[in-house]
Amino acid sequence: MNYKVLSRKYRPQNFNEIIGQPHIVDTLINSISSNRLAHGYLFSGLRGVGKTTTARVLAKTLNCLDLQGGQPCGKCQNCMDIAASRSLDVIELDGASNRGIDEIREIKETVKYPPISGKYKIYIIDEVHMLTKEAFNALLKTLEEPPNNVVFILATTDSHKIPETILSRTLRFDFKKITNKNITRHISKILEKENINFEELALNMIAKKSDGSVRDALSILDRIISYSRDLVSYDIVKESLGIIEDEIYINLLDLIIQSDQNSLILKVKEITDSGYSIENFVGGFNTFLSNGLLFISGYSKEEFLSESVENWFNSKKNIINSIDFMRIIEEIQKFEITSRNLLQPDIALEALFIKLSLMENSIQISDLLLKLDNQTFEDKSKINQNKHVKQINDSTLKAEDLNSKDKIKTVEPKNIELDEIKTVESKNIELDEIKEQFNNYWKSILNLIDEKDKRISSSLHDQKVSINNNLIEIDLGQTDNIYEQKMLNENIDIIENSIYEILKHHLKVKIKVIIKNEEQEKNHPLLDEIKSKFTNSNNS
Ligand SMILES: [Zn+2]
């Protein structure tokens, strides 16, 4: 059977058939109908989004002998020659294989001769960023003084590699990723024409996998049709692409939240044992989490997550937030980079999931910190009240003074000076002195803790410690120091008791965790990156 690959068989032949680039198509049609042609065009965008196809349609439109409302007729000799790549007036070059200056020199020579059968001579240079510097220079000279009937269409996936001098002499069009919806619609039409049955979900899955590239979607489809001729089903696509269903990822995330390491390991083993590649599995998990992050940050659109998955995310938003998602994604990205060089990536994969399950989630951490803050606040208020009583007992104090001080206190209850505390607490060591000599006291405290629990003392050793009012802050510095932080928080009583034994002051201890605030969370580079990917694929 003579099988023609779908991308060739269904290549768009006019502007109406071009998928997902209406902004470009409209501009091109308008400029042609109003006779405002440029001599150089630059089509930039990811692979498989229609750059070369649009270049050929543009070439046809320029040379068609019988334009139909601004569109090529598709029937005249010129249209047919261009469609069959045999037109002498349309010269296609691949920058990747013709990197040399010779090819460009040849162009320079041939531009002098007028077109043979059409109005224009059109040069389409694909992957133009691959040209050598010398070739670019030669091309530039031609672009600077092109004959009237010559049009250059340069296509590239990497426009940033093209010299500014070339960019400034071309009219630039940025091609967008094709949305999943557009890809799904496109391939469903093709399957209908091919008389092949399909399941909607299967096409969705292909669209997702092709990541905005029609060409990729069609080559996946080619592959699937080659062994399942009359049906494109969800199961076949899933198996053929090695796609792991979102339900499995939800299950894993649930186990991570529950910190259920045993079940996690079993689940991970089950997945790797059933033949999924670790790369595919981890990459899929990352995509799933990125979509989840977008969803809970309010950026998601229906095509990214199914309703049941969205419901699940909604039900968990009080348990995990976007910071947790970003932390998990960061861990997974680290794994993706390092696992390539590992001899036993499956063991590392299990370790990764155990690590994820041990991460404290930031909602709990912020709750904890909030409680700590409230406690210190309560302590301060008590001191304040004591002082208040003392002031009332002082017969020399005037009533209006009391009132004004009272007012200040109600406005700023946290504003207590250290010497105020001194007046109400008579202890062996003054807090001022503690503050001044804190490093020495801290050594004694550490020694005492060391006698009680060496794990705690060694974790506290060399950490930044500061005293502020009646709060001692221990700054662990690094955010990924989750085990130490967890252990210290669990043993905070031992630390506080030791402090009391040495200082005879009840001082609260706060293990400092870097919690990103709302603003930082919104501006997190990872979120930005994911957002920009998202906008690229959705703006069309
Ligand atoms: Zn024509």
Side-chain angles (χ1 to χ4, degrees), residues 467-506:
I467 177 167
N468 194 6
N469 290 347
N470 55 349
L471 180 70
I472 291 179
E473 277 192 351
I474 299 166
D475 190 349
L476 295 186
Q478 292 199 353
T479 41
D480 49 359
N481 218 341
I482 48 164
Y483 309 110
E484 278 196 326
Q485 166 212 326
K486 191 175 176 180
M487 186 272 291
L488 290 175
N489 273 323
E490 280 165 357
N491 293 294
I492 208 106
D493 284 348
I494 297 180
I495 305 173
E496 286 177 351
N497 289 339
S498 307
I499 290 170
Y500 181 72
E501 282 173 53
I502 300 285
L503 301 179
K504 304 292 175 217
H505 281 271
H506 285 292

Side-chain angles (χ1 to χ4, degrees), residues 275 287 507:
T287 307
L507 298 178

Side-chain angles (χ1 to χ4, degrees), residues 79 94 422 492:
C79 278
D94 180 9
K422 273 196 294 183
I492 208 106

Side-chain angles (χ1 to χ4, degrees), residues 406-435:
D406 211 27
K407 265 181 207 152
I408 293 166
K409 265 184 281 171
T410 45
V411 180
E412 291 182 283
K414 279 188 170 181
N415 224 352
I416 313 166
E417 298 293 330
L418 268 178
D419 52 0
E420 281 184 322
I421 297 170
K422 273 196 294 183
T423 57
V424 285
E425 294 196 11
S426 62
K427 297 287 176 187
N428 296 338
I429 314 167
E430 303 278 302
L431 262 175
D432 265 357
E433 193 199 326
I434 293 174
K435 242 180 131 183

Side-chain angles (χ1 to χ4, degrees), residues 64-66 72-76 78-79:
C64 177
L65 301 170
D66 184 21
C73 72
K75 290 175 192 142
C76 70
N78 284 353
C79 278

Side-chain angles (χ1 to χ4, degrees), residues 237-504:
V237 173
K238 199 184 91 184
E239 199 191 315
S240 148
L241 297 180
I243 283 175
I244 295 167
E245 283 168 274
D246 284 351
E247 277 64 31
I248 293 180
Y249 291 131
I250 285 185
N251 191 217
L252 285 170
L253 212 45
D254 263 331
L255 295 173
I256 288 173
I257 293 170
Q258 292 155 17
S259 203
D260 182 350
Q261 284 100 29
N262 286 339
S263 311
L264 256 180
I265 290 187
L266 285 176
K267 192 79 206 167
V268 170
K269 269 206 164 75
E270 188 189 312
I271 294 164
T272 48
D273 284 353
S274 53
Y276 292 110
S277 78
I278 289 181
E279 197 186 344
N280 224 348
F281 164 53
V282 173
F285 194 31
N286 224 349
T287 307
F288 170 78
L289 291 166
S290 303
N291 288 338
L293 173 61
L294 285 169
F295 176 71
I296 61 170
S297 310
Y299 293 99
S300 190
K301 296 255 170 77
E302 51 191 306
E303 64 184 76
F304 277 86
L305 295 170
S306 69
E307 206 184 319
S308 64
V309 178
E310 285 189 358
N311 288 340
W312 184 86
F313 278 120
N314 270 330
S315 72
K316 298 291 174 198
K317 65 182 170 199
N318 290 328
I319 302 170
I320 44 172
N321 64 13
S322 43
I323 290 185
D324 296 315
F325 273 103
M326 286 188 264
R327 286 160 71 205
I328 297 177
I329 292 170
E330 271 167 341
E331 286 301 327
I332 292 175
Q333 286 178 339
K334 273 190 228 161
F335 174 84
E336 281 183 309
I337 294 165
T338 52
S339 65
R340 286 178 203 138
N341 303 319
L342 294 176
L343 287 174
Q344 291 175 302
D346 45 338
I347 293 175
L349 184 69
E350 286 165 19
L352 167 73
F353 275 88
I354 291 174
K355 187 177 180 188
L356 293 178
S357 74
L358 289 171
M359 279 165 77
E360 295 226 27
N361 57 43
S362 43
I363 290 183
Q364 282 170 0
I365 297 171
S366 51
D367 273 358
L368 185 78
L369 289 179
L370 199 68
K371 272 181 206 148
L372 267 175
D373 270 356
N374 287 341
Q375 273 171 12
T376 51
F377 175 74
E378 279 162 23
D379 290 348
K380 286 171 187 171
S381 320
K382 266 183 215 150
I383 295 165
N384 238 0
Q385 278 166 8
N386 285 344
K387 191 167 185 250
H388 197 164
V389 173
K390 203 182 172 217
Q391 284 170 337
I392 291 171
N393 288 341
D394 189 340
S395 56
T396 58
L397 200 71
K398 286 177 188 165
E400 55 264 39
D401 282 344
L402 180 64
N403 278 341
S404 63
K405 280 189 181 168
D406 211 27
K407 265 181 207 152
I408 293 166
K409 265 184 281 171
T410 45
V411 180
E412 291 182 283
K414 279 188 170 181
N415 224 352
I416 313 166
E417 298 293 330
L418 268 178
D419 52 0
E420 281 184 322
I421 297 170
K422 273 196 294 183
T423 57
V424 285
E425 294 196 11
S426 62
K427 297 287 176 187
N428 296 338
I429 314 167
E430 303 278 302
L431 262 175
D432 265 357
E433 193 199 326
I434 293 174
K435 242 180 131 183
E436 277 168 26
Q437 304 280 318
F438 186 69
N439 285 345
N440 292 334
Y441 285 119
W442 183 243
K443 274 178 202 154
S444 318
I445 295 165
L446 279 184
N447 287 339
L448 184 60
I449 296 174
D450 194 61
E451 286 166 23
K452 295 177 182 173
D453 191 330
K454 292 219 176 337
R455 261 182 334 148
I456 306 176
S457 59
S458 67
S459 280
L460 293 176
H461 211 75
D462 288 338
Q463 302 292 10
K464 231 198 273 171
V465 182
S466 58
I467 177 167
N468 194 6
N469 290 347
N470 55 349
L471 180 70
I472 291 179
E473 277 192 351
I474 299 166
D475 190 349
L476 295 186
Q478 292 199 353
T479 41
D480 49 359
N481 218 341
I482 48 164
Y483 309 110
E484 278 196 326
Q485 166 212 326
K486 191 175 176 180
M487 186 272 291
L488 290 175
N489 273 323
E490 280 165 357
N491 293 294
I492 208 106
D493 284 348
I494 297 180
I495 305 173
E496 286 177 351
N497 289 339
S498 307
I499 290 170
Y500 181 72
E501 282 173 53
I502 300 285
L503 301 179
K504 304 292 175 217

